[in-house]
Every structure is written in C-alpha cells, then in structure tokens.
C-alpha cells in the first residue's frame, strides 16, 4: 500500500516520497535533493485521488482556453493569465504576479479562476489575505465577476462543503486546520483545494504562517502590487521564482504609459517642527514659558535645549503643526463639485493618538464640517469597516480619512484625489503601496467628460527626499518572537556550561535543568499541527531526551533553524521579558563579557520600583529579598545560582510595574512652512518622445489639435491638399524655417507625416484598435501577446515602424529570431500587413 501511494504522489509531482524511521516513528518525506528533506504534510483521501486521476483525462490545455474579456480583457491581464497557464502546463506549481495597484489584480485572479475551471484544472479555490478588509473586498469583487461561483468567507461564516471558493485570513485558516478535526481527519485536507491565491503576497510570508505554504498540495498564485525589485526575497523563494523574476510583471510606469492608471504629482512641503525639531532658543518669550512648564525635569533639574523631530506626532502633539497641514490641504488639494468640495483624501498618520488629534483639530478649525467630513479609519475604531464603506462611496461622507496602517494597502477607492504623508516611511514596499491608493482612474470625477488625470501627494515628513536618496528604503529585520529568543538563550547557556566544564555542582544542575526544559518544550509540541508537521523529522528526533546530552554543531544548527521558533511560552509577557533579561545576564557572567555592571544597576532600579508597591501582598512577602538586591554586598560575589534566585523571585512581580508610557504632551508653538514647495517626479513622464529640433517639436506639440495633425495621430489617411495645408501651417520661413530646411535636416525621403508621428506618436487607443481584429481572431501564446504589446507601445511612441526593426531590439528581447521566432509565416504576414497600413496613412493617399 505504501508503494502504491508513493507511486501516486510521484506521478502527481514528478518526485518520489520516501519513508524515514526515527525511534520507530514513520515519517514520509519528499526525496527531492533538498536538505533537510521536506515532510509530506498529509495524504489524499480516496475520493480526492479519484478526482485527480479523472482530471488527467478531462482537463484541457490551458493555452487553448480564451479568457473572457468581460472579466479581464486588458492585454496585460490576458498575458498574465497566459503566463500562469504556461507555468502550470510546464509542471510548475507556483506562479507570482506583480501588478500595479489599480491594474486589476483581483479581476485577473477572477479570470484565472474561470479559465482553470473551464479547463477542468481547478474546482475548489482558496483565497488567503492577511487582513479581514482585504478578504471582504476580494470576496465582493470576485462574486461580482463570477456570480455562478458559490463562495464563503470563513472569517464570518462556517464553511459548507458545497462552496467552491473559500476566503480566509491566515490565522483563521490555521485555526480551522488545526482546531477542527473529526475522527482524526481535518475538514481542509492537503488535497481539499486545487488552487490557492495569495493576495498581497509580499506581506504573507511570516514564519508563523509559513506552514500554510507547505500544507496545501495545490496550484499556487501570489498577487502583489509591490515593484518587483522591492519584494522580499522570501516571496520569490516561496513561489519558487528566481529573485526579481516573477511569472509576470506589470508595474506602475507601464500602466501610466498605457493610460490605465494615473500618475501622482508629488509635493514636498517643508514644515519646520516635524523635520527639524523644536529648539528652545528659537521660541518666543511666551512659548519659552510654556516650554519650561512642560519639559522641565524636576527630578534632574534640567531643561532640554532641543526636542527631536521624532517626538513630533509620537508623544508630542503641536496644535499649529497640524493646523498648518490641514490648512494647506484644504487650500491646495484637488476639489470636486466645481471647486467647492475637497475630493476624497487619505491622511497617513503616525499613530492612533496622532490620528485622533488631527480629527480634533479639524473639528476645531472647521466647526461646520465637524463630526462627518473628516473621520479616523483605523484598527482602533470600532466601526472602521462601516466607515470605510462610506468613505468608498463618492456620494457619502467622510471626504477625508485619517488612517494608521489600515488604508495603506489593498483598498480600492478610485475617487481618491489627494494623499497626505504625515508620517515617516522607511519601507520602500509600504511607500509604493501608499502611493497606490491614488492611482486608479475615475471618469467624470470633476464633471461630465472631465476625468481624473492625476492625484496629488503632499509630503510633510521628507519621505520623497529619503526615497530619492534611498530607492530601496530600509530593509526590515527578521522578526524573532520572545519565546524563540528565550529558547535560543537557554540553548546557548546550556552549551556554554558544557564547554566550560567547571567542576561545580550547581552548574551541572542548571545545565540539566535547561536541557530538560528544552527537551520538554519539543516533546509537548502537537505533532498533528501543520506548523509542527513541517519540521516533524526533527521534532521526533529531539523528542528523545538522550539526544540532548551530546549535541554536536549540526544538531545545534538544526535545533535553531527547525525547532527554536515552534514552542510558544504561554505566560505573562513581562515575566518572559525578565526571564530573557536574566538569561542574558547569566551568559554575560559565564562568558566574562562587559555589561554586567549595567545589568546589576537595572536590577536595582527594578527593586526600588517594587519596594514602592509593598501594599501588594506578594511583594510584601518578598520584601526582605528585594532589599538585599539593593546591597552591593549581594552583587560582590555574584554567580549563576544567585542570578537564578533573582529570576525566580522577581519574574512574577514585574507585571505590577506597569510600563509607563511617556506622557503625552500638547503644545501651542507657532510652526512654519520654511520654504518653497518642491515638486518631485515619482513616475517618469512617459508622454515624452524622441528629442528633435526644439523649436519645431515645441510648435507641433502646442498645436497638436490642428486638423491634419489630429488625422495623422489617429491613423486617418491624408490628401495632398491636406499635406500642403500642413506645410504652410508648420513652416513659417523664420523661426521654424522652410520645407527646404526640413529636407536639409532630415532628408527628402522622410515624409512630413512620419516626422509629425515621430514627435507625437500614434494615439495609444488607435494603435490598439489597429491590432484588435487580429488579436480577436485566434488564441495566442504569452510571447505572442507580449510581442504585439511591444509593437503597439513602439508605434504609440514613434508613430511608425520600419518592418525591418521587427528583427532588432526590443523585439529580439522576446525571441532572438524576432517576429519569425514568435509567429508562424501566416501570423507574421498579417502583422506586417497591419504595420504597412498604419505607415501608409502617414503618407499622402
């Protein structure tokens, strides 16, 4: 039976599982050459195997299934679906799509679901996201595009086995897998889903939830709007892609060029306090008096000369700073309804207190708009989801949403016209996600036929300057849980005691105690949990207590990489932090490192604080011991045994020392905008074409609405009379020279129509229309679609193209044989015929 099952798995995956025996425990592992081998997370049921075998004969070639244009009909969406299909047909099981915010990731996902369903590749689908708001939005959009699909959101509803598509957050799915078992069997088995879609995949690869990415034996598609150079390396690894090489990428610059998204106009507004801090000497006499009242340290008898910029909007809130920002926004922000009403705006605040303060100041400054025009929408607000729905509706208020993280990513509101950066951002991924809140098109936003052409960014915290100098931002450090830090500290201390081999009874007892604790934390792990099962071979191996007595370097590395993050200590956080503090103290003492004096002083500070709370019975009981910790004599002969006594006696008292947050301070100092607003080009201006003689080019651009020029840019044939009109219009004999000057500069073989097109290009919609019938006439591969897309973009920029260029870059970037390597002879001839017709319309009919 085991051999039969191994044959089934090998046929499905192209690799064979093997069985490992450890301490008599049987573990199935993939024998794919990786070390350590990956465990088989579970087995298919008979019915699931039956479905898989049937699907082999029933499923169709994905490249033969045309995506429905009413779901996702844009050229890049079709190419993305084709690329994924080619990946899957080539036996890859994971794909990663990088698509700019607003370019239709969810529509593309819906179309992919439809294609895979019609081709009999996928019937059961799971969509994962890290936030409930993203889950709700994805469910709403996919239900609209695929009304026939039965769906369920298990963050709200209990799953019914009849639903074809399940929407969930990571923790909800983890809890469902590990928490709901019937007769030893999970509802969501490894073979339950055929396709798993991961929304905002760049934020999904947390160690805590990484088991999900190994559990479901399905096809996987990751979706992210983060530019491909900014995606975390882990994201590429999880989706089995080379770094910076997703399955398909369609980024903001190309989307702006294609006129599917709008670009920002970004202004850096130099406001003083958030960027320069507050200097006592620069204040007025009245302000100095307030400064002294609020910042004088009575204990130390000192007054700081300077408040750093990082204090602003963190614990120090200055009324006039917020007022200046709000006044600037209300005056300079894009407005609707004939300029009477500020357009939808998002203010990105530093924290919840800052957001509330902004709301309070707005209500004070604009009492007629109080309570409804500006609202805080973040995870601290009880009705945030309802407020978000109202903000998303252009017919309803609020007009301004003040957000802390909640609106930074994944929220689809085309009506947003203004973004205010009122916090520092150092993550490149987050920066671009925030920019993405404004990029969506919005027709008729300013009135009939008056569409959204751009959105405004007002940056009050020098983020634009930072990312100009540091395009990659600051990479976040790997997050390590407190439980893992304690586990690793215990492991390090136990091995240091082994290495020191001091003839000391207590050292020996402590070493045994530490190893017992480490072993027990692994032995008690739930081996059926998918988070644990991912590392099952090592869990089984180190559940044997004898294994811990003689750990080699390989063992220690395996424990750190495979096991240390699994145990979770379910105790008060304050007690755990003190445990870690004392373990590090022991390590310093044993290794004779510097810093012991500082830790001794820290324990004394804690002790003094505890002695102020002797009214608490448990502290009163230990008062004598706590007082001893203040004596230098206690620390003069410090050893590991004494430190362990400190840990045991103090750890459960720390919770009574409630961590004091820095007092919030509100001030009334006059802030100022210190200079001119600086405008930044975030997305390059892609309407710029080749640089010809400046005078003629400028004139052509300024008069591109002239009748004959309009005909040329819209691929309409011109007559000899119209050409003569154009010559008379363009050449004035002085500033723009004569026709002879033109021929002298460019040659007599360059038609004037070609010259006009080379400056203004061909209208992008017209260029697409020229190839529309050809595209609709057949089913094309992803490379063919990419070739046509490159051709359309080239003609949009350059107006005409010599067919000989189809064998040069950028066309040979797709295939080194150019058009001959992408199309068969018949397809090539059709493409060339279309090009010749477009070129012909730039000459006299």
């Amino acid at each position: 039976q085991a051999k039969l099952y191994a044959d089934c798995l090998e046929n499905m995956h192209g690799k064979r599982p093997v069985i490992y025996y450890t301490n008599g425990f049987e573990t199935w592992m993939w024998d794919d050459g990786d070390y350590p081998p990956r465990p088989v997370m579970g087995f298919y049921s008979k019915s699931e195997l039956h479905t898989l075998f049937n699907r082999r004969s029933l499923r169709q070639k994905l490249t033969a299934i045309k995506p429905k244009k009413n779901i996702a009909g844009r050229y890049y969406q079709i190419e993305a679906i084709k690329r994924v299909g080619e990946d899957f047909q080539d036996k890859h099981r994971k794909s990663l799509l990088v698509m700019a915010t607003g370019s239709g990731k969810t529509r593309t996902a819906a179309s992919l679901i439809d294609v895979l369903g019609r081709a009999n590749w996928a019937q059961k689908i799971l969509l994962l996201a890290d936030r409930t708001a993203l889950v709700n939005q994805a469910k709403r959009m996919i239900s609209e595009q695929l009304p026939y699909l039965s769906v369920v959101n298990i963050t709200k509803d209990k799953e019914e086995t009849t639903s074809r598509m399940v929407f969930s957050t990571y923790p909800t799915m983890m809890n469902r897998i590990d928490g709901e078992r019937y007769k030893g069997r999970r509802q969501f088995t490894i073979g339950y889903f055929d396709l798993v879609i991961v929304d905002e995949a760049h934020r999904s690869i947390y160690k805590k939830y990484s088991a999900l990415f190994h559990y479901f034996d399905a096809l996987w598609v990751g979706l992210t709007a983060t530019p491909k150079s900014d995606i975390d390396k882990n994201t590429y690894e999880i989706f089995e892609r080379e770094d910076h090489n997703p399955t398909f990428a369609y980024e903001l610059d190309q989307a702006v060029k294609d006129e599917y998204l709008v670009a920002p106009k970004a202004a850096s507004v130099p406001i003083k306090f958030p960027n320069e801090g507050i200097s006592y000497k620069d204040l007025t006499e009245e302000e100095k008096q307030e400064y002294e009242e609020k910042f004088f340290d009575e204990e130390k008898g000192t007054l700081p000369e300077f408040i750093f910029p990082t204090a602003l909007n963190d614990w120090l809130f200055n009324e006039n700073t917020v007022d200046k920002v709000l006044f600037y926004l209300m005056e300079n922000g894009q407005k609707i309804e004939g300029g009477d009403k500020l357009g939808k705006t998002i203010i990105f605040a530093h924290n919840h207190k800052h957001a509330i303060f902004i709301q309070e100041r707005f209500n004070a400054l604009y009492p007629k708009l109080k309570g409804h025009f500006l609202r805080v929408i973040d995870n601290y607000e009880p009705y945030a989801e309802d407020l978000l729905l109202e903000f998303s509706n252009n017919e309803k208020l609020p007009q301004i949403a003040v957000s802390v993280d909640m609106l930074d990513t994944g929220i689809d509101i085309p009506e947003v016209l203004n973004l205010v950066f009122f916090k520092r951002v150092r993550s490149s991924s987050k920066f671009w996600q925030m920019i993405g809140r404004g990029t969506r098109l919005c027709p008729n936003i300013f009135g009939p036929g008056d569409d959204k052409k751009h959105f405004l960014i007002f940056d009050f915290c020098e983020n634009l300057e930072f990312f100009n100098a540091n395009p990659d931002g600051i990479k976040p450090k790997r997050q390590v849980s407190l439980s893992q830090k304690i586990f690793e500290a215990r492991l390090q201390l136990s091995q240091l005691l082994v290495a020191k081999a001091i003839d000391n009874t207590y050292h020996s007892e402590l070493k045994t105690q530490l190893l017992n604790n480490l072993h027990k934390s692994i032995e008690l792990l739930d081996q059926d949990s998918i988070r644990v099962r991912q590392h099952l071979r090592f869990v089984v191996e180190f559940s044997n207590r004898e294994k811990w007595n003689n750990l080699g370097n390989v063992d220690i590395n395996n424990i750190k990489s495979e096991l240390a993050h699994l145990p979770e200590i379910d105790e008060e956080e304050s007690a755990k932090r003190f445990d870690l503090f004392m373990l590090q103290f022991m390590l310093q003492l044993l290794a004779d490192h510097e810093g012991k004096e500082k830790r001794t002083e820290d324990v004394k500070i804690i002790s003094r604080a505890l002695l102020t709370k002797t009214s608490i019975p448990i502290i009163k009981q230990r008062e004598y011991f706590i007082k001893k910790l203040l004596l230098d004599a206690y620390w003069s002969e410090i050893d590991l045994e004494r430190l362990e006594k400190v840990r045991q006696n103090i750890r459960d008292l720390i919770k009574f020392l409630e961590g004091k947050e820095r007092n919030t301070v509100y001030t009334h100092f006059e802030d100022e905008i210190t200079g001119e607003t600086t405008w930044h080009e975030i997305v390059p201006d892609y309407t710029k074409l080749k640089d010809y003689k400046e005078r003629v080019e400028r004139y052509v651009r300024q008069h591109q609405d002239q009748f004959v020029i309009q005909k040329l840019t819209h691929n309409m044939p011109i007559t000899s009379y119209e050409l003569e009109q154009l010559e008379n219009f363009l050449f004035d004999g002085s500033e723009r020279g004569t026709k002879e000057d033109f021929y002298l500069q460019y040659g007599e073989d360059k038609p004037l129509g070609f010259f006009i097109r080379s400056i203004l290009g061909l209208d992008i919609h017209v260029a697409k229309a020229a190839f529309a019938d050809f595209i609709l006439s057949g089913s094309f591969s992803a490379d063919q679609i990419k070739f046509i897309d490159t051709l359309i973009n080239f003609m949009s920029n350059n107006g005409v193209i010599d067919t000989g260029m189809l064998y040069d870059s950028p066309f040979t970037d797709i295939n080194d044989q150019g058009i001959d390597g992408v199309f068969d002879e018949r397809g090539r001839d059709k493409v060339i015929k279309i090009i010749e017709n477009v070129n012909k319309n730039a000459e006299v009919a």
Side-chain angles (χ1 to χ4, degrees), residues 424-443:
R424 281 183 178 78
V425 184
R426 293 299 177 257
S427 161
S428 178
S429 170
K430 196 176 191 76
F431 177 70
W432 283 103
Q433 288 283 338
M434 289 163 65
I435 289 171
R437 297 316 101 212
T439 58
R440 288 173 175 82
L441 302 176
C442 191

Side-chain angles (χ1 to χ4, degrees), residues 565-822:
H565 65 283
L566 294 176
E568 295 181 350
I569 302 171
D570 187 19
E571 293 183 24
E572 285 274 355
E573 181 181 340
S574 58
K576 290 194 291 184
R577 289 196 179 280
F578 192 74
D579 281 347
L580 180 61
F581 172 84
M582 293 306 297
L583 284 165
Q584 291 168 340
F585 198 165
M586 292 178 184
L587 283 167
Q588 284 181 321
L589 183 67
L590 198 60
D592 199 28
H593 287 163
E594 294 181 0
K596 298 186 291 294
E597 294 78 10
K598 172 68 169 61
R599 289 191 182 272
T600 301
E601 188 56 39
D602 287 342
V603 174
K604 289 182 179 180
I605 291 170
I606 292 169
S607 301
R608 291 189 192 99
L610 288 172
L611 290 174
T612 66
K613 296 182 178 292
T614 51
S615 58
I616 299 171
I618 191 172
I619 296 179
K620 183 66 177 174
Q621 290 171 13
R622 299 181 194 173
E623 183 178 9
Y624 177 73
F625 179 80
I626 296 170
K627 285 181 176 178
K628 282 172 61 176
L629 300 182
L630 297 175
L631 303 174
D632 291 339
Y634 184 87
W635 301 100
S636 63
E637 298 180 9
I638 194 66
D639 57 18
L640 295 184
E641 187 171 7
R642 287 195 175 191
L643 290 182
E644 178 61 9
K645 283 181 181 177
V646 174
R647 188 189 72 82
Q648 291 175 354
N649 279 279
I650 302 298
R651 69 183 304 276
D652 57 339
L653 306 182
I654 299 296
K655 63 186 175 185
F656 298 110
L657 300 177
E658 294 177 358
K660 287 187 178 180
E661 288 187 10
R662 175 130 199 187
N663 291 335
T664 301
V665 178
Y666 297 93
T667 56
H668 307 82
F669 307 140
E670 181 71 21
D671 206 342
E672 62 178 313
I673 292 175
T674 55
E676 294 294 322
T677 296
T678 306
W679 292 89
H680 295 257
E681 186 180 60
I682 296 178
V683 178
D685 182 359
Y686 284 98
T687 60
K688 291 179 181 174
L689 308 176
K690 290 191 173 184
D691 184 22
Y692 293 101
K693 293 297 180 180
E694 184 61 29
R695 288 171 298 167
V696 179
E697 180 182 356
R698 188 188 310 117
Y699 189 78
V700 170
R701 288 186 179 283
Q702 290 172 349
H703 297 86
Q704 55 188 289
D705 57 348
Q706 196 266 349
F707 176 68
V708 183
I709 293 176
Q710 279 278 300
K711 290 186 73 173
L712 286 166
T713 58
H714 285 75
N715 197 30
M716 299 167 67
I718 61 172
T719 65
S720 56
Y721 173 72
E722 288 169 337
L723 177 62
E724 187 178 340
Q725 280 187 310
L726 179 62
E727 290 172 352
N728 292 335
F729 171 76
L730 183 60
F731 304 124
D732 65 349
S734 56
E735 183 185 0
R736 296 180 301 282
T738 64
K739 184 166 67 172
E740 288 69 29
D741 294 331
F742 172 79
Y743 286 146
L744 186 64
Q745 183 68 44
Y746 297 104
E748 293 188 20
D749 59 342
K750 186 179 183 75
L752 185 57
F754 279 32
F755 173 70
I756 298 296
R757 285 250 195 105
S758 69
I759 294 174
L760 297 177
L762 190 66
D763 183 275
I764 185 69
H765 302 295
V766 172
K768 290 175 181 176
F771 289 90
D773 290 340
F774 175 68
I775 292 171
L776 292 172
S777 67
S779 177
F780 296 100
S781 69
D783 278 345
Q784 289 170 331
I785 293 172
K786 182 71 173 176
F787 191 95
I788 295 297
D789 170 44
T790 304
L791 183 53
I792 288 170
N793 287 329
F794 188 93
M795 297 186 77
S796 170
N797 281 345
N798 301 282
V800 293
I801 183 171
D802 184 338
T803 54
M805 284 196 64
L806 301 178
Y807 299 92
D808 295 327
S809 183
F811 304 101
T812 50
D813 297 342
I814 301 167
N815 187 291
D816 60 7
Q817 299 300 311
I819 189 171
D820 290 346
V822 178

Side-chain angles (χ1 to χ4, degrees), residues 439-471:
T439 58
R440 288 173 175 82
L441 302 176
C442 191
N444 306 315
I445 184 71
F446 300 107
D450 195 357
D451 304 338
K452 177 179 174 182
K453 298 176 180 64
H454 61 266
F455 64 100
L456 297 181
I457 296 174
F458 302 119
D459 177 21
F460 292 90
C461 295
E462 297 184 337
N463 296 294
L464 297 171
E465 287 82 358
F466 174 81
F467 284 104
N468 277 345
N470 308 276

Side-chain angles (χ1 to χ4, degrees), residues 46-57:
K46 287 183 180 179
S47 62
E48 288 167 348
L49 283 173
H50 186 70
T51 300
L52 283 175
F53 281 119
N54 283 344
R55 189 168 288 157
R56 286 185 185 176
S57 58

